[in-house]
Amino acid sequence: MTNVNLAIIYYSSTGTNYKLAKWAEEAAKDAGADVKVLKVPELAPAAAIESNPAWKAHVEATKDVPTVTLDDLEWADAIIFSAPTRFGNVPGQLKQFLDTTGGLWFQGKLVNKVVSAMSSAQNPHGGQEQTILQLYTTMYHWGAIVAAPGYTDPAIFAGGGNPYGTSVTVDQNGNIAEDAEAAVKHQAKRTVQVAQWVKKGLQK
């Protein structure tokens, strides 16, 4: 059986969700997946980025990360999204990209993609769960298969205990409060595993 193609699509202004994406990449590769880490296009004006040293530094540090395209969605058997919460919803940058997928949706090319999501905020009740659930609403319209982590591994509890997807709390210095690396890696491996089952079933 061919390997699972996994696209890890993230938006990150100062680096937290990029870190989550890289942890997921490591675990997915260990699980045998072919992985692409991809960023969504930045919509914020240059002046806003320039005014925040951490944001500016992260943009510069990730300038060589490929930007996601619709072709990447077609290629992927599975997709992991990682994005911060914005008022309990997905960031505009990610939403704008999702709003360009209508053509693929109309052609049925997003059906049976296995998807999962992660998020972050600056306090424990900053909207992380709602952000993930808002994202999954779009996935239901795609006809995608949501592979939530649930409580399938003890690492999830150490990582904050979010059954919908790993979510973290980040302090003013950009430090992640939870011990989330193992939870992210479990979620990534679970997503790949479910995608393997789906891909095998579709090939019969």
PDB file of all heavy atoms in Angstrom, residues 11 17 82-91 118-123 125-132 168:
ATOM      1  N   TYR A  11      -1.238  28.416  10.322  1.00  0.00           N
ATOM      2  CA  TYR A  11      -1.023  29.857  10.362  1.00  0.00           C
ATOM      3  C   TYR A  11      -0.389  30.173  11.705  1.00  0.00           C
ATOM      4  O   TYR A  11      -0.845  29.682  12.749  1.00  0.00           O
ATOM      5  CB  TYR A  11      -2.312  30.670  10.207  1.00  0.00           C
ATOM      6  CG  TYR A  11      -2.013  32.146  10.394  1.00  0.00           C
ATOM      7  CD1 TYR A  11      -1.272  32.819   9.422  1.00  0.00           C
ATOM      8  CD2 TYR A  11      -2.360  32.818  11.554  1.00  0.00           C
ATOM      9  CE1 TYR A  11      -0.916  34.149   9.606  1.00  0.00           C
ATOM     10  CE2 TYR A  11      -2.015  34.149  11.733  1.00  0.00           C
ATOM     11  CZ  TYR A  11      -1.289  34.804  10.758  1.00  0.00           C
ATOM     12  OH  TYR A  11      -0.915  36.110  10.934  1.00  0.00           O
ATOM     13  N   ASN A  17       2.153  27.965  16.506  1.00  0.00           N
ATOM     14  CA  ASN A  17       1.513  26.939  15.675  1.00  0.00           C
ATOM     15  C   ASN A  17       2.470  26.348  14.652  1.00  0.00           C
ATOM     16  O   ASN A  17       2.285  25.217  14.207  1.00  0.00           O
ATOM     17  CB  ASN A  17       0.241  27.486  15.036  1.00  0.00           C
ATOM     18  CG  ASN A  17      -0.875  27.586  16.054  1.00  0.00           C
ATOM     19  OD1 ASN A  17      -1.575  26.628  16.317  1.00  0.00           O
ATOM     20  ND2 ASN A  17      -1.008  28.754  16.664  1.00  0.00           N
ATOM     21  N   SER A  82      -3.263  23.759  12.007  1.00  0.00           N
ATOM     22  CA  SER A  82      -2.829  24.335  13.277  1.00  0.00           C
ATOM     23  C   SER A  82      -2.901  25.853  13.163  1.00  0.00           C
ATOM     24  O   SER A  82      -2.280  26.443  12.270  1.00  0.00           O
ATOM     25  CB  SER A  82      -1.404  23.893  13.624  1.00  0.00           C
ATOM     26  OG  SER A  82      -1.080  24.248  14.954  1.00  0.00           O
ATOM     27  N   ALA A  83      -3.678  26.465  14.058  1.00  0.00           N
ATOM     28  CA  ALA A  83      -3.875  27.919  13.969  1.00  0.00           C
ATOM     29  C   ALA A  83      -4.286  28.472  15.323  1.00  0.00           C
ATOM     30  O   ALA A  83      -4.960  27.786  16.101  1.00  0.00           O
ATOM     31  CB  ALA A  83      -4.950  28.242  12.939  1.00  0.00           C
ATOM     32  N   PRO A  84      -3.915  29.707  15.615  1.00  0.00           N
ATOM     33  CA  PRO A  84      -4.349  30.333  16.858  1.00  0.00           C
ATOM     34  C   PRO A  84      -5.822  30.702  16.791  1.00  0.00           C
ATOM     35  O   PRO A  84      -6.401  30.793  15.715  1.00  0.00           O
ATOM     36  CB  PRO A  84      -3.479  31.589  16.939  1.00  0.00           C
ATOM     37  CG  PRO A  84      -3.186  31.924  15.505  1.00  0.00           C
ATOM     38  CD  PRO A  84      -3.068  30.604  14.808  1.00  0.00           C
ATOM     39  N   THR A  85      -6.405  30.904  17.952  1.00  0.00           N
ATOM     40  CA  THR A  85      -7.784  31.372  17.988  1.00  0.00           C
ATOM     41  C   THR A  85      -7.829  32.883  17.759  1.00  0.00           C
ATOM     42  O   THR A  85      -6.930  33.615  18.174  1.00  0.00           O
ATOM     43  CB  THR A  85      -8.471  31.018  19.324  1.00  0.00           C
ATOM     44  OG1 THR A  85      -9.842  31.400  19.254  1.00  0.00           O
ATOM     45  CG2 THR A  85      -7.806  31.669  20.501  1.00  0.00           C
ATOM     46  N   ARG A  86      -8.859  33.321  17.082  1.00  0.00           N
ATOM     47  CA  ARG A  86      -9.131  34.744  16.918  1.00  0.00           C
ATOM     48  C   ARG A  86     -10.587  34.977  17.323  1.00  0.00           C
ATOM     49  O   ARG A  86     -11.500  34.656  16.567  1.00  0.00           O
ATOM     50  CB  ARG A  86      -8.900  35.185  15.462  1.00  0.00           C
ATOM     51  CG  ARG A  86      -7.441  35.141  15.018  1.00  0.00           C
ATOM     52  CD  ARG A  86      -6.607  36.219  15.714  1.00  0.00           C
ATOM     53  NE  ARG A  86      -5.238  36.268  15.193  1.00  0.00           N
ATOM     54  CZ  ARG A  86      -4.192  35.629  15.728  1.00  0.00           C
ATOM     55  NH1 ARG A  86      -4.379  34.867  16.796  1.00  0.00           N
ATOM     56  NH2 ARG A  86      -2.989  35.753  15.214  1.00  0.00           N
ATOM     57  N   PHE A  87     -10.771  35.447  18.545  1.00  0.00           N
ATOM     58  CA  PHE A  87     -12.120  35.670  19.066  1.00  0.00           C
ATOM     59  C   PHE A  87     -12.985  34.411  18.954  1.00  0.00           C
ATOM     60  O   PHE A  87     -14.152  34.464  18.571  1.00  0.00           O
ATOM     61  CB  PHE A  87     -12.790  36.856  18.362  1.00  0.00           C
ATOM     62  CG  PHE A  87     -12.017  38.137  18.491  1.00  0.00           C
ATOM     63  CD1 PHE A  87     -11.400  38.707  17.390  1.00  0.00           C
ATOM     64  CD2 PHE A  87     -11.896  38.774  19.720  1.00  0.00           C
ATOM     65  CE1 PHE A  87     -10.679  39.883  17.506  1.00  0.00           C
ATOM     66  CE2 PHE A  87     -11.184  39.950  19.845  1.00  0.00           C
ATOM     67  CZ  PHE A  87     -10.574  40.511  18.736  1.00  0.00           C
ATOM     68  N   GLY A  88     -12.400  33.251  19.265  1.00  0.00           N
ATOM     69  CA  GLY A  88     -13.139  31.999  19.230  1.00  0.00           C
ATOM     70  C   GLY A  88     -13.388  31.458  17.843  1.00  0.00           C
ATOM     71  O   GLY A  88     -14.212  30.564  17.664  1.00  0.00           O
ATOM     72  N   ASN A  89     -12.657  31.971  16.859  1.00  0.00           N
ATOM     73  CA  ASN A  89     -12.831  31.516  15.489  1.00  0.00           C
ATOM     74  C   ASN A  89     -11.460  31.345  14.843  1.00  0.00           C
ATOM     75  O   ASN A  89     -10.436  31.675  15.443  1.00  0.00           O
ATOM     76  CB  ASN A  89     -13.680  32.521  14.702  1.00  0.00           C
ATOM     77  CG  ASN A  89     -14.546  31.853  13.657  1.00  0.00           C
ATOM     78  OD1 ASN A  89     -14.119  30.909  12.998  1.00  0.00           O
ATOM     79  ND2 ASN A  89     -15.770  32.342  13.499  1.00  0.00           N
ATOM     80  N   VAL A  90     -11.452  30.829  13.611  1.00  0.00           N
ATOM     81  CA  VAL A  90     -10.178  30.645  12.923  1.00  0.00           C
ATOM     82  C   VAL A  90      -9.651  32.001  12.446  1.00  0.00           C
ATOM     83  O   VAL A  90     -10.438  32.917  12.166  1.00  0.00           O
ATOM     84  CB  VAL A  90     -10.314  29.676  11.728  1.00  0.00           C
ATOM     85  CG1 VAL A  90     -10.706  28.284  12.202  1.00  0.00           C
ATOM     86  CG2 VAL A  90     -11.322  30.179  10.713  1.00  0.00           C
ATOM     87  N   PRO A  91      -8.342  32.156  12.351  1.00  0.00           N
ATOM     88  CA  PRO A  91      -7.794  33.422  11.859  1.00  0.00           C
ATOM     89  C   PRO A  91      -8.261  33.713  10.436  1.00  0.00           C
ATOM     90  O   PRO A  91      -8.506  32.793   9.642  1.00  0.00           O
ATOM     91  CB  PRO A  91      -6.275  33.183  11.891  1.00  0.00           C
ATOM     92  CG  PRO A  91      -6.061  32.016  12.775  1.00  0.00           C
ATOM     93  CD  PRO A  91      -7.292  31.174  12.676  1.00  0.00           C
ATOM     94  N   MET A 118      -5.419  21.651  15.544  1.00  0.00           N
ATOM     95  CA  MET A 118      -4.797  22.096  16.797  1.00  0.00           C
ATOM     96  C   MET A 118      -4.928  23.613  16.874  1.00  0.00           C
ATOM     97  O   MET A 118      -5.103  24.281  15.858  1.00  0.00           O
ATOM     98  CB  MET A 118      -3.323  21.704  16.820  1.00  0.00           C
ATOM     99  CG  MET A 118      -3.082  20.229  16.555  1.00  0.00           C
ATOM    100  SD  MET A 118      -1.335  19.747  16.619  1.00  0.00           S
ATOM    101  CE  MET A 118      -0.705  20.518  15.123  1.00  0.00           C
ATOM    102  N   SER A 119      -4.824  24.149  18.106  1.00  0.00           N
ATOM    103  CA  SER A 119      -4.975  25.587  18.266  1.00  0.00           C
ATOM    104  C   SER A 119      -4.217  26.093  19.485  1.00  0.00           C
ATOM    105  O   SER A 119      -3.703  25.319  20.290  1.00  0.00           O
ATOM    106  CB  SER A 119      -6.456  25.959  18.368  1.00  0.00           C
ATOM    107  OG  SER A 119      -6.627  27.363  18.283  1.00  0.00           O
ATOM    108  N   SER A 120      -4.189  27.422  19.626  1.00  0.00           N
ATOM    109  CA  SER A 120      -3.499  28.061  20.749  1.00  0.00           C
ATOM    110  C   SER A 120      -4.184  29.375  21.103  1.00  0.00           C
ATOM    111  O   SER A 120      -4.884  29.963  20.282  1.00  0.00           O
ATOM    112  CB  SER A 120      -2.030  28.334  20.386  1.00  0.00           C
ATOM    113  OG  SER A 120      -1.955  29.302  19.348  1.00  0.00           O
ATOM    114  N   ALA A 121      -3.955  29.824  22.344  1.00  0.00           N
ATOM    115  CA  ALA A 121      -4.422  31.131  22.795  1.00  0.00           C
ATOM    116  C   ALA A 121      -3.569  31.552  23.981  1.00  0.00           C
ATOM    117  O   ALA A 121      -2.727  30.787  24.460  1.00  0.00           O
ATOM    118  CB  ALA A 121      -5.903  31.092  23.175  1.00  0.00           C
ATOM    119  N   GLN A 122      -3.795  32.768  24.473  1.00  0.00           N
ATOM    120  CA  GLN A 122      -2.962  33.280  25.555  1.00  0.00           C
ATOM    121  C   GLN A 122      -3.511  32.960  26.941  1.00  0.00           C
ATOM    122  O   GLN A 122      -2.871  33.285  27.941  1.00  0.00           O
ATOM    123  CB  GLN A 122      -2.770  34.796  25.415  1.00  0.00           C
ATOM    124  CG  GLN A 122      -1.812  35.156  24.293  1.00  0.00           C
ATOM    125  CD  GLN A 122      -1.386  36.609  24.341  1.00  0.00           C
ATOM    126  OE1 GLN A 122      -2.014  37.447  24.977  1.00  0.00           O
ATOM    127  NE2 GLN A 122      -0.302  36.916  23.650  1.00  0.00           N
ATOM    128  N   ASN A 123      -4.688  32.319  27.029  1.00  0.00           N
ATOM    129  CA  ASN A 123      -5.180  31.873  28.326  1.00  0.00           C
ATOM    130  C   ASN A 123      -5.972  30.585  28.142  1.00  0.00           C
ATOM    131  O   ASN A 123      -6.367  30.251  27.019  1.00  0.00           O
ATOM    132  CB  ASN A 123      -5.992  32.970  29.019  1.00  0.00           C
ATOM    133  CG  ASN A 123      -7.173  33.427  28.201  1.00  0.00           C
ATOM    134  OD1 ASN A 123      -8.135  32.688  28.056  1.00  0.00           O
ATOM    135  ND2 ASN A 123      -7.115  34.630  27.662  1.00  0.00           N
ATOM    136  N   HIS A 125      -8.903  29.569  28.584  1.00  0.00           N
ATOM    137  CA  HIS A 125     -10.260  29.594  28.035  1.00  0.00           C
ATOM    138  C   HIS A 125     -10.366  30.686  26.975  1.00  0.00           C
ATOM    139  O   HIS A 125     -11.335  31.435  26.910  1.00  0.00           O
ATOM    140  CB  HIS A 125     -11.278  29.812  29.162  1.00  0.00           C
ATOM    141  CG  HIS A 125     -11.226  28.733  30.196  1.00  0.00           C
ATOM    142  ND1 HIS A 125     -11.712  27.469  29.969  1.00  0.00           N
ATOM    143  CD2 HIS A 125     -10.711  28.730  31.454  1.00  0.00           C
ATOM    144  CE1 HIS A 125     -11.516  26.730  31.055  1.00  0.00           C
ATOM    145  NE2 HIS A 125     -10.903  27.468  31.960  1.00  0.00           N
ATOM    146  N   GLY A 126      -9.362  30.742  26.130  1.00  0.00           N
ATOM    147  CA  GLY A 126      -9.288  31.793  25.127  1.00  0.00           C
ATOM    148  C   GLY A 126      -9.950  31.476  23.809  1.00  0.00           C
ATOM    149  O   GLY A 126      -9.779  32.217  22.842  1.00  0.00           O
ATOM    150  N   GLY A 127     -10.678  30.351  23.756  1.00  0.00           N
ATOM    151  CA  GLY A 127     -11.401  30.015  22.526  1.00  0.00           C
ATOM    152  C   GLY A 127     -10.798  28.893  21.716  1.00  0.00           C
ATOM    153  O   GLY A 127     -11.227  28.651  20.588  1.00  0.00           O
ATOM    154  N   GLN A 128      -9.815  28.173  22.286  1.00  0.00           N
ATOM    155  CA  GLN A 128      -9.155  27.112  21.511  1.00  0.00           C
ATOM    156  C   GLN A 128     -10.131  26.041  21.037  1.00  0.00           C
ATOM    157  O   GLN A 128     -10.113  25.655  19.859  1.00  0.00           O
ATOM    158  CB  GLN A 128      -8.039  26.450  22.346  1.00  0.00           C
ATOM    159  CG  GLN A 128      -6.907  27.366  22.739  1.00  0.00           C
ATOM    160  CD  GLN A 128      -7.055  27.908  24.145  1.00  0.00           C
ATOM    161  OE1 GLN A 128      -8.157  28.257  24.562  1.00  0.00           O
ATOM    162  NE2 GLN A 128      -5.960  27.994  24.880  1.00  0.00           N
ATOM    163  N   GLU A 129     -10.976  25.555  21.960  1.00  0.00           N
ATOM    164  CA  GLU A 129     -11.913  24.499  21.571  1.00  0.00           C
ATOM    165  C   GLU A 129     -12.877  24.992  20.495  1.00  0.00           C
ATOM    166  O   GLU A 129     -13.146  24.295  19.514  1.00  0.00           O
ATOM    167  CB  GLU A 129     -12.701  24.012  22.791  1.00  0.00           C
ATOM    168  CG  GLU A 129     -11.859  23.260  23.802  1.00  0.00           C
ATOM    169  CD  GLU A 129     -12.678  22.752  24.973  1.00  0.00           C
ATOM    170  OE1 GLU A 129     -13.914  22.945  24.978  1.00  0.00           O
ATOM    171  OE2 GLU A 129     -12.090  22.149  25.887  1.00  0.00           O
ATOM    172  N   GLN A 130     -13.382  26.193  20.671  1.00  0.00           N
ATOM    173  CA  GLN A 130     -14.331  26.746  19.712  1.00  0.00           C
ATOM    174  C   GLN A 130     -13.690  26.938  18.347  1.00  0.00           C
ATOM    175  O   GLN A 130     -14.324  26.710  17.313  1.00  0.00           O
ATOM    176  CB  GLN A 130     -14.884  28.074  20.238  1.00  0.00           C
ATOM    177  CG  GLN A 130     -15.997  28.663  19.399  1.00  0.00           C
ATOM    178  CD  GLN A 130     -17.273  27.833  19.432  1.00  0.00           C
ATOM    179  OE1 GLN A 130     -17.427  26.920  20.239  1.00  0.00           O
ATOM    180  NE2 GLN A 130     -18.198  28.146  18.540  1.00  0.00           N
ATOM    181  N   THR A 131     -12.427  27.358  18.340  1.00  0.00           N
ATOM    182  CA  THR A 131     -11.714  27.533  17.071  1.00  0.00           C
ATOM    183  C   THR A 131     -11.619  26.211  16.317  1.00  0.00           C
ATOM    184  O   THR A 131     -11.871  26.143  15.105  1.00  0.00           O
ATOM    185  CB  THR A 131     -10.310  28.108  17.337  1.00  0.00           C
ATOM    186  OG1 THR A 131     -10.455  29.430  17.869  1.00  0.00           O
ATOM    187  CG2 THR A 131      -9.471  28.157  16.068  1.00  0.00           C
ATOM    188  N   ILE A 132     -11.255  25.149  17.029  1.00  0.00           N
ATOM    189  CA  ILE A 132     -11.155  23.832  16.394  1.00  0.00           C
ATOM    190  C   ILE A 132     -12.517  23.379  15.880  1.00  0.00           C
ATOM    191  O   ILE A 132     -12.639  22.881  14.744  1.00  0.00           O
ATOM    192  CB  ILE A 132     -10.557  22.814  17.386  1.00  0.00           C
ATOM    193  CG1 ILE A 132      -9.078  23.140  17.632  1.00  0.00           C
ATOM    194  CG2 ILE A 132     -10.707  21.391  16.862  1.00  0.00           C
ATOM    195  CD1 ILE A 132      -8.441  22.341  18.761  1.00  0.00           C
ATOM    196  N   VAL A 168      -3.066  24.671  23.172  1.00  0.00           N
ATOM    197  CA  VAL A 168      -2.072  25.107  24.144  1.00  0.00           C
ATOM    198  C   VAL A 168      -2.324  26.542  24.587  1.00  0.00           C
ATOM    199  O   VAL A 168      -3.015  27.314  23.915  1.00  0.00           O
ATOM    200  CB  VAL A 168      -0.638  24.978  23.586  1.00  0.00           C
ATOM    201  CG1 VAL A 168      -0.306  23.530  23.260  1.00  0.00           C
ATOM    202  CG2 VAL A 168      -0.445  25.860  22.350  1.00  0.00           C
TER     203      VAL A 168
END
